[in-house]
Amino acid sequence: MTTPGGLTVSCVAAVARHGVIGNGPDIPWRVPGEQAEFKRRTLGTTLLMGRATYASIGRPLPGRTTVVLTRDPGWSPGHDGVHVARDLDAAVSIADGLGAPVSVAGGAQVYAAALAVPGLVDAQVLTEIPLEVHGDVRYPAIDEAAWPVVERAEHEGFTVVVRWTGARLDALAALVDGPVAAPVLLRGGTHATTLAVRQGDRDLVARWFPPGDEAVARERAVLEMAPPLAPVYVIDGTTPWGPVLVTTRLAGGAPPPDAAPEELAPAMAEALAALHARDGADLPVSSAVAAPPSARSVLVHGDFWSGNLLWDGRRAVGVVDWTGACRGPAELDVAWARQDLVLLGSTEAARIFLEAYERASGVRLGDVPAWDRWAVDRAAPQVAGWATNYAGIGRPDLTGPVLVERLRRFSDSLG
Ligand SMILES: NC(=O)c1ccc[n+]([C@@H]2O[C@H](COP(=O)([O-])OP(=O)(O)OC[C@H]3O[C@@H](n4cnc5c(N)ncnc54)[C@H](OP(=O)(O)O)[C@@H]3O)[C@@H](O)[C@H]2O)c1
């Protein structure tokens, strides 16, 4: 159950038929895309690896901090910034000090050592390579019942299978007071870890937030007001994996990737107008910094973009992620949604959105360009990082540089 410091620990490995992960010091295959997938899944984490694996890579991997295990007190990694640990406990406490999630990156000895510590490893992220290769290094045998599959992502030439410790699902079952089945990790959203499950005849969504995060209490407060298109609050609680909020699962999914922004804009506007019909009187007041004047104070979602709506074709059928909701200026959500449509590729869609919003709400908003400017200034320092969120809704074409360029052009157009 995580490190003593509360960080999640995942074993991340690529495994060929019969559990083969290596041959001598080498990995005996080259499968295009597989290493990129390892990089994507481990970026920003702390890698724990054995001395032999480190030696075969020969350098620390970029974007991750490396901790090498060796019992040899005289061994040196030969690169700055690489930590050295004499045993697994020491490696884990170094990782706790670094504060990032932990990826156990092999080899066989280190996977085995980590999996042998009761409750340490939370997930196994295994890239299954469907090849018969000769190799003398194997991944430890998996007790499939104790490690339910929560994600299976097919790629050309390999499949990534993510298994969670059953203990995490047991904790969820205890909270919702009955066994849960069919767990599926949902993508999108970098703040919370989101799992869909079935309990009896209802579909639920559980979202875990980082330990100590106040998001659960904030979201609970707004969901208890039953805003339109929102999921229904079920229960919340504390688990070793952080605070968790359980709601009903709404139908619908990501916006259809082939839908033009102009097609999404009216549905987004009508959903937002319905939401803004509520005054949000019991919620905390918006703390938006340097905000322009507003014509209307309403229940504000706080992160109203196409990926926080659930879609059935071109229809918006749900709104999720209410952690930023507050009582505040309607223009805040309007500007945020317009900016999303611009990033999706269409300033015309932003115009359609405003027109549809004003028609549906019956309200003419104040200084929209000033609010667009406000939104752009908030987005500028972070927009490159939103590529992950857009990839999560099936838009990998919206890379960091594309988003930066689109925002820059929009900013220029505002004068
Ligand atoms: N397919 C994959 O995803 C993947 C991933 C990683 C590695 N690999 C492959 O796996 C193979 C290497 O695996 P391996 O099992 O032979 O070696 P390894 O686990 O990478 O390294 C073993 C060394 O790590 C140190 N070590 C291991 N456990 C330790 C502990 N509990 N405390 C302190 N030190 C510890 C020891 O170093 P000292 O001897 O210096 O004390 C030990 O000799 C290679 O073929 C590599 O290519 C494959």
Side-chain angles (χ1 to χ4, degrees), residues 314-342:
R314 271 69 172 159
R315 278 189 325 123
V317 294
V319 178
V320 296
D321 193 357
W322 294 81
T323 57
C326 59
R327 175 173 168 75
E331 292 88 346
L332 188 154
D333 280 339
V334 169
W336 210 242
R338 278 167 54 80
Q339 177 172 265
D340 169 48
L341 291 163
V342 168

Side-chain angles (χ1 to χ4, degrees), residues 13-14 21-27 29 50-53 69-72 86-87 105-111 113 137:
I21 62 166
N23 190 32
D26 304 320
I27 295 182
W29 62 77
R51 196 251 317 140
T53 293
L69 285 111
T70 174
R71 297 183 182 88
D72 178 355
R86 298 276 167 267
D87 58 34
Q109 287 187 31
V110 173
Y111 292 132
V137 189

Side-chain angles (χ1 to χ4, degrees), residues 202-290:
R202 59 181 183 168
D203 289 314
L204 303 177
V205 168
R207 288 161 68 226
W208 279 267
F209 292 87
D213 198 303
E214 298 294 316
V216 166
R218 287 200 307 270
E219 182 150 340
R220 175 189 180 154
V222 66
L223 291 187
E224 283 181 339
M225 297 167 65
L229 298 176
V232 176
Y233 168 84
V234 173
I235 198 164
D236 66 288
T238 308
T239 73
W241 298 274
V244 61
L245 175 78
V246 184
T247 66
T248 55
R249 184 178 188 186
L250 297 172
D258 62 336
E262 295 83 355
E263 292 177 277
L264 302 179
M268 285 174 72
E270 278 156 31
L272 190 61
L275 204 155
H276 283 178
R278 303 287 293 270
D279 65 9
D282 295 335
L283 293 175
V285 173
S286 164
S287 56
V289 179

